Amino acid sequence: MSTSEIAELRRTIGQLRQCVGALRSRYGDASAVRRLANDVERLDIDTADLDGVPLAVPAQAKAAERVPVPDTPYDPSLWHGADDEGVGGYKRDQR
């Protein structure tokens, strides 16, 4: 992120912090207000982390990092004892 983007993000986080403070004065220490305050703190921490991160690598440079996936079928023993998601599985209601 550029310096101006980081500055804008910090300014916006400051505004959010003020809004959460106003909510805290109105609703007290409600769990929703605590969660919002925690979210604002998390945004502040993540912004500080981004401030030191180098810019993203262009897509052309990532092309060399591709891992080929074979078209051959998987070994059926990998799925032995596995349930099918979404259909309840075959071990359902065993009594």
Side-chain angles (χ1 to χ4, degrees):
M1 285 188 134
S2 70
T3 307
S4 62
E5 290 171 325
I6 294 289
E8 176 67 17
L9 185 56
R10 289 194 185 278
R11 184 187 67 72
T12 304
I13 291 171
Q15 289 176 335
L16 279 172
R17 188 171 281 119
Q18 288 177 350
C19 291
V20 170
L23 289 171
R24 180 172 281 134
S25 66
R26 181 174 178 164
Y27 295 104
D29 198 31
S31 61
V33 175
R34 286 194 313 264
R35 286 193 306 271
L36 287 169
N38 186 38
D39 291 343
V40 171
E41 288 306 312
R42 183 76 244 165
L43 286 169
D44 199 23
I45 291 168
D46 290 342
T47 301
D49 288 347
L50 276 178
D51 204 6
V53 172
L55 295 176
V57 178
Q60 296 89 5
K62 290 186 178 185
E65 299 174 17
R66 292 186 181 161
V67 177
V69 177
D71 289 333
T72 58
Y74 288 110
D75 180 8
S77 67
L78 291 173
W79 311 113
H80 180 71
D83 287 345
D84 289 330
E85 292 183 22
V87 292
Y90 64 88
K91 293 183 181 179
R92 185 177 53 142
D93 293 333
Q94 285 185 347
R95 291 183 188 139

